[in-house]
Amino acid sequence: MNRTPHHLPRARTRQLITKEVAGELIVYDRESDRVHCLNSTAAFVWNHCDGRTSVATMAQLLEAEMNEPVEQEFVLYALAQLNKSKLLDDSYAGIGPSQGLSRRAVMRLGVATALSVPLITSIVAPTAAQAASCLPSGASCASDSACCSNNCTDNGRGGFQCT
């Protein structure tokens, strides 16, 4: 694999599971156990990160998609977020804004476009063992969700237990 830094972004594909949900793209990173939710704009940019498409071309494609003027700074902002979330190939040498869109750039955007600012929300996903952990029948509990049976009942002795 070529590790020479370049400015044409390529989406990372290894160890990622993607699913489109309600117009957004959910990306589960199996390497870091992080889940990233890309809004439609960030997903559009990420889907065009093929290592051959320039930032200028992405801006033109996004402009056609949104029917609004889109500056390259808008795409660079999305790429900075994607890079920070480790969703771009290691060889990408990011350029452009890392602190976010400038106020001037946001003011130049139309209201509809401003609502489409690329956004990535990330959380740490529990491991399978953490997600599957629950209390067995007979264990002391405080809520139904703590029990594997999803049933925490009064034991008649002043406490609660999983049944």
Side-chain angles (χ1 to χ4, degrees):
M1 176 185 287
N2 181 8
R3 295 282 185 194
T4 305
H6 61 85
H7 295 294
L8 296 177
R10 182 186 327 266
R12 197 179 113 214
T13 57
R14 69 186 184 291
Q15 297 294 314
L16 297 179
I17 299 171
T18 60
K19 176 100 174 146
E20 190 170 330
V21 178
E24 296 187 337
L25 186 65
I26 306 299
V27 181
Y28 173 62
D29 184 343
R30 295 176 60 182
E31 286 181 0
S32 66
D33 284 321
R34 292 187 68 79
V35 177
H36 308 281
C37 179
L38 285 62
N39 72 358
S40 60
T41 307
F44 183 91
V45 171
W46 190 65
N47 284 324
H48 286 84
C49 290
D50 56 10
R52 296 183 311 269
T53 306
S54 69
V55 171
T57 301
M58 281 188 213
Q60 292 170 345
L61 293 169
L62 189 56
E63 188 170 301
E65 176 77 13
M66 298 173 72
N67 293 320
E68 292 275 343
V70 173
E71 295 186 27
Q72 289 184 31
E73 186 176 4
F74 198 73
V75 174
L76 289 171
Y77 178 68
L79 291 172
Q81 287 188 73
L82 290 165
N83 200 33
K84 182 179 177 184
S85 299
K86 308 228 183 294
L87 294 176
L88 296 179
D89 187 272
D90 291 339
S91 65
Y92 176 65
I95 57 172
S98 58
Q99 300 301 317
L101 290 171
S102 67
R103 272 187 264 196
R104 186 179 336 139
V106 172
M107 293 303 286
R108 285 191 301 252
L109 300 172
V111 173
T113 306
L115 295 175
S116 302
V117 169
L119 178 64
I120 300 173
T121 307
S122 303
I123 62 167
V124 175
T127 64
Q130 292 168 327
S133 62
C134 56
L135 298 173
S137 182
S140 295
C141 58
S143 68
D144 287 341
S145 62
C147 301
C148 294
S149 64
N150 204 29
N151 194 6
C152 181
T153 58
D154 188 336
N155 64 10
R157 297 183 306 271
F160 293 86
Q161 70 184 47
C162 298
T163 56

